[in-house]
Amino acid sequence: MNSFNPNFKTLMGPGPSNIDPRVLGAMSRPIIGHLDPQFIELMDEIKALLRYAYQTENALTFPVSAPGSAGMETCFANLVEPGDEVLVCINGVFGGRMKENVIRCGGEAVIVEDAWGTPVSLDKVEEALKANPDVKILAFVHAETSTGVCSDAEALAILAHAHGCLTIMDCVTSLAGVPVMIDDWGIDAAYSGSQKCISCPPGLSPVTFSERAIEHIRKRNTPIQSWFLDLSLVMDYWSGDGARSYHHTAPINAMYALHESLLLLREEGLEAAWARHQTHHEALKAGLEKLGLSLLVEPAHRLPQMNSVLIPDALKPREAEIRKTLLAEHNLEIGAGLGALAGQIWRIGLMGFGASEENVRTCLNALEEVL
Ligand SMILES: *Cc1c(COP(=O)(O)O)cnc(C)c1O
């Protein structure tokens, strides 16, 4: 065996996305102790940078030391108690995982379902909230990576608050790709991932909690069943003036990478980053149309960073082979369809550092040749 040396690949699937060399460089800097004063300074800067990315003043904003799925579990494990009713919107794979989380926390999931490829229906949610007055939390996925759909998070939060509910929002794929306005929208708990539009290695999950969410957690009657994800314990590590107590050992060099990628985001500016995703999405769409390919999602609900391409019937028998050829001969990774959309769509990501003219060209040229 030798050292592992993968060749460069253009990652245009549902994540991970390609990473700016500045971020990879940051990761290779000397390790320091996780309670070293310099590291604590870094933690404080990461929290401030995350508040910018999330557009929030929430004090409880930090990266969970594990991938996006752990951010999801952090939200549900802390906010849901046995017996609690939670309204879960399902319009793709990740809404289904929210339901699973509610059940595992001992909660009761009330489900609003919409067809894959369409956004969460506000009318159905309003009806369900009226029909189920005991619902305490509304949970939804802002950007469904399995379909490429963006739902109206602001309108959903307004409905939730009108019915006295808290909100849990999955913004793993939306953060830094399209507007995510935690405070303006009144979102109570949100989680994201490092490897999508933030363009950092996978393994960290930025989360943020409102004062209302923290109050809700304080009033719990039962202990949080997860020790690792219990916010009251984690926060002694991630905050506190002066003394910080050991909770777990943070993935130190991964935090260097997150810090650098968030710094890049702040240097570019959120608005510029959103506009860049939109520009390259439009270029990709125009090129795909020239190849005779169209998108699954209606224009009003499309995510620029996750393009679901309908596979023409004639190509369906060869769809897996086409992806294999793209990877083997063009070092290009695109995503397959998931669940109900397996074999029906390809998912082409333009996430973070990967939302570039170069990637759009690489993808269109490779597809043209292979098709
Ligand atoms: C990728 C993703 C997740 C899970 O993140 P991991 O880092 O893979 O655990 C959750 N929700 C959505 C919408 C995602 O796209």
Side-chain angles (χ1 to χ4, degrees):
M1 287 185 209
N2 295 304
S3 300
F4 182 60
N5 268 307
N7 45 349
F8 178 84
K9 313 224 175 180
T10 302
L11 298 182
M12 298 183 73
S17 54
N18 285 122
I19 297 169
D20 191 299
R22 245 178 79 179
V23 174
L24 291 172
M27 275 191 103
S28 65
R29 289 182 195 140
I31 190 162
I32 57 178
H34 77 116
L35 291 171
D36 186 296
Q38 272 191 314
F39 190 69
I40 287 169
E41 241 173 69
L42 179 83
M43 291 164 97
D44 285 340
E45 287 193 15
I46 288 173
K47 288 195 294 179
L49 289 163
L50 281 176
R51 282 188 202 106
Y52 170 69
Y54 268 131
Q55 292 289 284
T56 184
E57 303 284 320
N58 287 343
L60 188 45
T61 303
F62 71 99
V64 174
S65 298
S69 305
M72 183 187 272
E73 298 239 18
T74 302
C75 291
F76 287 93
N78 283 273
L79 288 170
V80 180
E81 278 195 87
D84 283 355
E85 279 186 30
V86 180
L87 185 63
V88 180
C89 307
I90 302 182
N91 62 337
V93 167
F94 294 99
R97 289 194 182 175
M98 286 180 145
K99 173 188 168 191
E100 190 64 30
N101 267 265
V102 171
I103 293 167
R104 288 184 187 219
C105 293
E108 276 181 49
V110 179
I111 305 299
V112 166
E113 263 193 293
D114 284 288
W116 287 38
T118 66
V120 173
S121 155
L122 299 174
D123 290 342
K124 283 192 203 168
V125 168
E126 185 165 27
E127 243 169 66
L129 287 170
K130 280 182 186 157
N132 298 278
D134 292 335
V135 164
K136 290 184 175 171
I137 298 170
L138 172 67
F140 61 91
V141 179
H142 183 209
E144 236 321 330
T145 321
S146 60
T147 64
V149 164
C150 192
S151 287
D152 189 343
E154 182 173 21
L156 287 166
I158 289 169
L159 279 177
H161 296 148
H163 289 84
C165 294
L166 295 175
T167 45
I168 297 178
M169 176 168 83
D170 177 320
C171 47
V172 176
T173 283
S174 51
L175 190 66
V178 291
V180 172
M181 313 295 286
I182 296 296
D183 289 0
D184 284 359
W185 297 348
I187 302 295
D188 296 296
Y191 57 91
S192 190
S194 50
Q195 78 275 31
K196 310 230 174 162
C197 295
I198 296 175
S199 283
C200 193
L204 293 173
S205 178
V207 293
T208 186
F209 294 86
S210 72
E211 279 304 320
R212 222 173 358 201
I214 295 166
E215 200 49 40
H216 184 88
I217 296 167
R218 280 209 189 99
K219 286 188 188 144
R220 283 181 67 109
N221 296 313
T222 54
I224 291 153
Q225 99 285 358
S226 165
W227 178 85
F228 184 66
L229 301 175
D230 183 337
L231 284 172
S232 58
L233 303 176
V234 180
M235 277 322 282
D236 287 339
Y237 181 45
W238 269 94
S239 72
D241 307 309
R244 307 247 174 144
S245 54
Y246 167 63
H247 177 260
H248 65 280
T249 310
I252 293 161
N253 292 50
M255 294 296 177
Y256 301 173
L258 181 63
H259 180 268
E260 196 70 18
S261 61
L262 291 170
L263 212 53
L264 279 162
L265 177 64
R266 203 189 59 173
E267 286 168 12
E268 178 180 21
L270 274 174
E271 287 82 3
W274 302 331
R276 178 168 49 80
H277 283 86
Q278 187 62 29
T279 300
H280 297 303
H281 154 73
E282 281 165 20
L284 178 71
K285 183 188 67 127
L288 289 170
E289 281 168 356
K290 275 194 196 147
L291 295 173
L293 299 169
S294 56
L295 300 179
L296 166 77
V297 180
E298 287 301 310
H301 311 298
R302 273 178 201 157
L303 287 166
Q305 63 270 51
M306 188 76 267
N307 298 270
S308 290
V309 182
L310 289 164
I311 302 171
D313 285 340
L315 295 178
K316 278 179 187 164
R318 287 203 297 135
E319 87 77 20
E321 188 194 317
I322 290 167
R323 279 185 292 110
K324 247 192 208 166
T325 308
L326 288 171
L327 188 61
E329 291 174 14
H330 297 267
N331 285 319
L332 170 67
E333 179 179 280
I334 65 168
L338 282 183
L341 292 171
Q344 308 298 311
I345 59 166
W346 287 313
R347 292 180 301 149
I348 303 185
L350 284 169
M351 294 183 175
F353 185 63
S356 68
E357 192 177 321
E358 189 190 344
N359 276 14
V360 170
R361 274 221 192 94
T362 299
C363 179
L364 291 173
N365 290 341
L367 267 176
E368 184 170 16
E369 206 175 304
V370 173
L371 296 184

